[in-house]
Amino acid sequence: MSSKPSRRTLTLAASLLVAACAAAGTAAAQAGTPERGPSSAAGARHETTTDLANAFDSVTRNTAWQETSKLKLKFPTFHTEGIAYGQDHIFLSAVQIVEPTVKYPTPQDGYDRTPGKGIGHLFVMDKAGNLQKDIILGEGDMYHPGGIDFDGTNVWVPVAQYRPDSSAIIYKVDAQTLDVHKQFEVKDHFGGIVLDKQTGHLIGNTWGSRRFAEWDLQGKQLSTWENPNYFIDYQDCQYVPNARMLCAGITNLPQTPTAGGTAATYELGGMAMIDLKSHQVSREVPLQQWSTAGHVATRNPFKMTADGGHLTMTVAPDNGDEGNGTEILTYQADVTPTP
């Protein structure tokens, strides 16, 4: 009897090997999908879903936004700042003012006002808006949390002094365990942050969003650029695939003389898409929807999602002591996405 394997035996063995490899590949793919955050090796996560970017490119001032729900928060929320949605939680940042800042007659030691005193909060809620945990963030004069973002694993929170040209701490909060990690400190007031999932770098915006900075995860500044746009001051931003950032905010403009003049202000709200490679604003759109307390919807916390051309926007513009207290408002609109 020959010791050489027959052609039939070799064919059967090859078929079994191919099947085993395919099964292993399928199991590996299932185990690795979806990817929950930046890879530890490259520090980057490549996104392919561009629904939000495509849909927002079709949003105009005439887009018909419809308020579809109000979620009343039944705990003290103080002055709300940023919002983010994890798999199991809603995160809301807020500042509790204990002693307001006071402007100096002339700048002192590079500051235009006193530091004031306050407490920084990151409220953790279930999807029904019930408070699960109040995480206190900040150190010393750095007590003002800003706009926040969720990268699939962590919530990123900047906590700054409540004055321009000051300093800030960048925190990372695990969205599942709620463990808090102080990532690094930076010079200047940074009031918003996102994580670019293509590069694994952090992007922050300063007081009034007049300047942007990019850091690696160790806090090394890689670049900085001025914001050439003065339409609105960005308050809360989010990463948008691929390599974009969607921000919303507000500008307080003086009223006409008959409506109070410079003693009264008009809240202009809006949204802007920013290209993180060119640093240019690719689209800006005003938004004039109003909260129970009469604030423009994009005053502070803001996030948006898209399912094809169906957009869902959530905001929380009212403070805890205004109107009906803080309510998370949901708006929806339908657009025809760009190709």
Side-chain angles (χ1 to χ4, degrees), residues 166-186:
S166 54
S167 57
I169 300 171
I170 308 302
Y171 288 99
K172 178 178 70 174
V173 180
D174 188 293
Q176 290 191 336
T177 67
L178 304 183
D179 291 338
V180 178
H181 176 72
K182 179 181 175 182
Q183 196 76 6
F184 53 84
E185 290 190 28
V186 290

Side-chain angles (χ1 to χ4, degrees), residues 51-123:
D51 280 4
L52 182 51
N54 296 339
F56 189 78
D57 278 345
S58 297
V59 173
T60 71
R61 67 174 61 180
N62 296 319
T63 295
W65 293 97
Q66 299 294 325
E67 184 182 299
T68 57
S69 69
K70 287 185 180 181
L71 178 59
K72 163 72 174 171
L73 302 184
K74 300 177 181 179
F75 57 90
T77 53
F78 311 107
H79 178 46
T80 57
E81 295 291 342
I83 196 167
Y85 290 83
Q87 290 95 339
D88 303 313
H89 306 290
I90 303 173
F91 297 88
L92 181 73
S93 62
V95 59
Q96 178 183 356
I97 302 301
V98 177
E99 176 186 299
T101 61
V102 179
K103 281 202 171 185
Y104 296 124
T106 57
Q108 297 184 19
D109 300 321
Y111 298 118
D112 71 344
R113 67 195 71 189
T114 64
K117 294 180 181 179
I119 302 170
H121 299 267
L122 180 65
F123 299 118

